[in-house]
């Protein structure tokens, strides 16, 4: 098995009230951002991001990286079309810092989901790759 991991967060786990609505929302968002994801009957996941269902949904702010401004715009449009609510149209957020280009939407459970492009940058690596054998049983 192979997973991609960032350097700060191992994983994020959200609990949704309506898993079907969350699958439609995040499926559209991940498609717009070009992020591969997997859907199972009881959950949805994409690398370190996991969603399942429960009585009490979570309420967090979560930001996904985007490779350019056009992807931020696609994210916003796809999220709204998939049932998200606008929480900040695509645009520069100079109050954060010059060049911070982002859009915000509320997912079906009210989580504040952002896509952000920080401007042109060189990365030391796309991600850290973890490769390991799954234990049987």
């Amino acid at each position: 098995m192979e997973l991609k991991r960032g350097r700060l967060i191992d994983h994020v786990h959200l609990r949704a009230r309506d898993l079907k609505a969350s699958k439609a929302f995040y499926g559209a968002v991940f498609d717009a951002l070009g992020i591969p994801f997997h859907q199972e009957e009881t959950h949805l996941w994409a690398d370190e991001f996991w969603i399942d269902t429960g009585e009490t949904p979570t309420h967090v702010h979560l930001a996904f990286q985007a490779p350019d401004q056009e992807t931020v715009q696609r994210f916003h449009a796809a999220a709204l079309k998939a049932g998200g609510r606008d929480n900040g149209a695509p645009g520069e957020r100079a109050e954060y810092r010059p060049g911070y280009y982002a859009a915000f939407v509320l997912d079906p459970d009210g989580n504040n989901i952002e896509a952000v492009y920080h401007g042109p940058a060189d990365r030391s690596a796309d991600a850290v790759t973890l490769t390991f054998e799954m234990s049987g049983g």
Side-chain angles (χ1 to χ4, degrees):
M1 177 174 219
E2 185 175 284
L3 299 174
K4 304 290 185 188
R5 291 289 189 253
R7 295 190 47 146
L8 178 61
I9 296 172
D10 183 75
H11 69 276
V12 174
H13 180 173
L14 297 184
R15 178 133 301 149
R17 182 174 291 124
D18 180 346
L19 187 59
K20 183 177 178 181
S22 289
K23 284 180 175 181
F25 175 84
Y26 284 100
V29 164
F30 289 149
D31 280 342
L33 292 170
I35 297 172
F37 65 95
H38 309 275
Q39 293 190 52
E40 306 292 337
E41 184 177 334
T42 60
H43 60 275
L44 173 139
W45 64 276
D47 284 336
E48 63 273 357
F49 185 73
W50 180 278
I51 301 172
D52 63 12
T53 189
E55 288 294 316
T56 306
T58 55
H59 291 102
V60 299
H61 173 145
L62 180 64
F64 293 108
Q65 296 178 29
D68 51 45
Q69 292 182 0
E70 293 76 19
T71 303
V72 171
Q73 294 163 8
R74 281 195 310 274
F75 154 83
H76 190 258
L80 294 179
K81 187 175 179 182
R85 291 174 285 142
D86 180 51
N87 200 30
E92 185 168 341
R93 302 303 198 271
E95 66 272 24
Y96 299 159
R97 69 164 184 73
Y100 192 108
Y101 189 90
F104 302 83
V105 294
L106 298 176
D107 77 2
D109 288 300
N111 293 294
N112 185 22
I113 309 302
E114 173 185 1
V116 58
Y117 172 61
H118 291 282
D122 291 322
R123 292 178 177 263
S124 62
D126 288 336
V128 175
T129 302
L130 303 174
T131 305
F132 54 92
E133 296 294 321
M134 296 294 291
S135 59

